[in-house]
Amino acid sequence: MSSLSNKNILVGVTGGIAAYKSAEIVRLLRDFGADVRVIMTPAAVEFIRPLTLQALSGNPVHIELVDAEAEAGMGHIELARWADLLLVAPATANSLATLVHGAADTLLGAVYLATPATVAIAPAMNQGMWLHPANLANIAELERRGATIIGPTSGLQACGDVGPGRLATPTEIAERVAASFTPGILQGVRVIITAGPTREAIDPVRYISNHSSGKMGYALAAAAADAGATVTLISGPVNLDAPEHCHLTSVISANEMYLASMQACKNAHVFIGAAAVADYRCVDVSSQKIKKQACNLTLQLEKNIDIITAVGSANDHLYVVGFAAETENLTANAQLKLDRKQLNAIVANDVSRTDIGFDADDNEVYWITPNSEIQMHKKSKTQLARDLIQCIANDLDHRTVADISG
Ligand code: C5P
């Protein structure tokens, strides 16, 4: 668990239904060791009582901008100076607009203008409000000014809608706040990740592909970016949103993925081949839709280039991590693949199980290097990705990173 000891966190609670979750956020921040003070907007007071946040933070709650009593204790300028980080959670659409425009008619607005602290914002609102261009422009502007935007997540909302706009979980918010005080374990490292399936055309309407959802590769890209890496995600066709702070290159076929990978790896430190690349492609791709025939149809297939082997042998200093999706003899087959493809590490998972692997939200894998084998028990792909990024960071030879210039 990250530590927030000796850190002063000022939590701004604004007036949305998710305000009740600020209680848990304040509690977690204190568990992490932070000194916590809370500002509530007048609208937030309609949703959660100040006394709750006072008890949990161990400090009086600040509400009014002009409050003689509060100013005698800790006024708004002192509050702004006191904070090492200002966390606005939940941040309503209105409060985001207020921050963007620099309105100082609330205590939170005034403190935002006055504080030299790092700013983190966890938005929460109805999905239509979140997706409105005005709101998205506000988010982009706050990000441009250096604020860390945490969430929102997607799902069922208090109003009954389904979509993006749910407050990130209190745990994620507290962890992201804590992480913002520690330099990322992959700071300055350039990481290329392939993800998802590839599609090999048969004719203009048909293709050969596989069940890869891309979830593991996308989770790795998000975890690497969170760890401070500069991430290029080369993705086959998937139904996932691009992770924040990653450069996304979309491809269809294995050959396109190969070309994009070779280009991206010229200047990279780490390559993670999480894609389920088709091993074969059609020798002849018909330019017209192939008509159904009375007899059987035979397709002649030729081998695709092995991308991970190609990028590894073309780039001496690249730290290369492969994936082995196996249905039997999991670790033995993965070991063979590690040797054959000359990888630095391989992540082995059992794709014969339906509760993990392809398309599942969870995974259970082995992390195998030439001299170690670690079993990682079943957990969410998000958590697993963080653990794998930690393994890579531990294993990475930092001289290798320093060797590559540009
Ligand atoms: O040989 P196999 O497909 O089982 O190896 C899996 C690993 O190799 C994965 O990391 C996958 O991304 C990579 N791979 C590749 N190019 C291919 C086939 C697999 O990079 N053509």
Side-chain angles (χ1 to χ4, degrees), residues 67-87:
D67 180 340
E69 206 178 298
E71 290 289 318
M74 192 182 268
H76 66 281
I77 298 298
E78 282 164 290
L79 262 182
R81 287 185 187 141
W82 172 85
D84 293 309
L85 184 141
L86 169 64
L87 167 70

Side-chain angles (χ1 to χ4, degrees), residues 5-19:
S5 51
N6 300 321
K7 294 288 180 274
N8 294 337
I9 309 297
L10 185 56
V11 181
V13 182
T14 71
I17 182 63

Side-chain angles (χ1 to χ4, degrees), residues 84-107:
D84 293 309
L85 184 141
L86 169 64
L87 167 70
V88 187
T92 58
N94 178 59
S95 62
L96 294 173
T98 303
L99 300 184
V100 165
H101 289 285
D105 57 347
T106 60
L107 178 59

Side-chain angles (χ1 to χ4, degrees), residues 194 254 271 273-279 304-309 321-326 337 340-341:
T194 62
F271 179 84
V277 186
D279 290 321
N304 276 324
I305 291 176
D306 194 279
I307 299 170
I308 207 163
T309 307
V321 183
F323 272 71
E326 303 291 339
K337 210 164 280 185
R340 193 174 68 247
K341 301 196 180 206

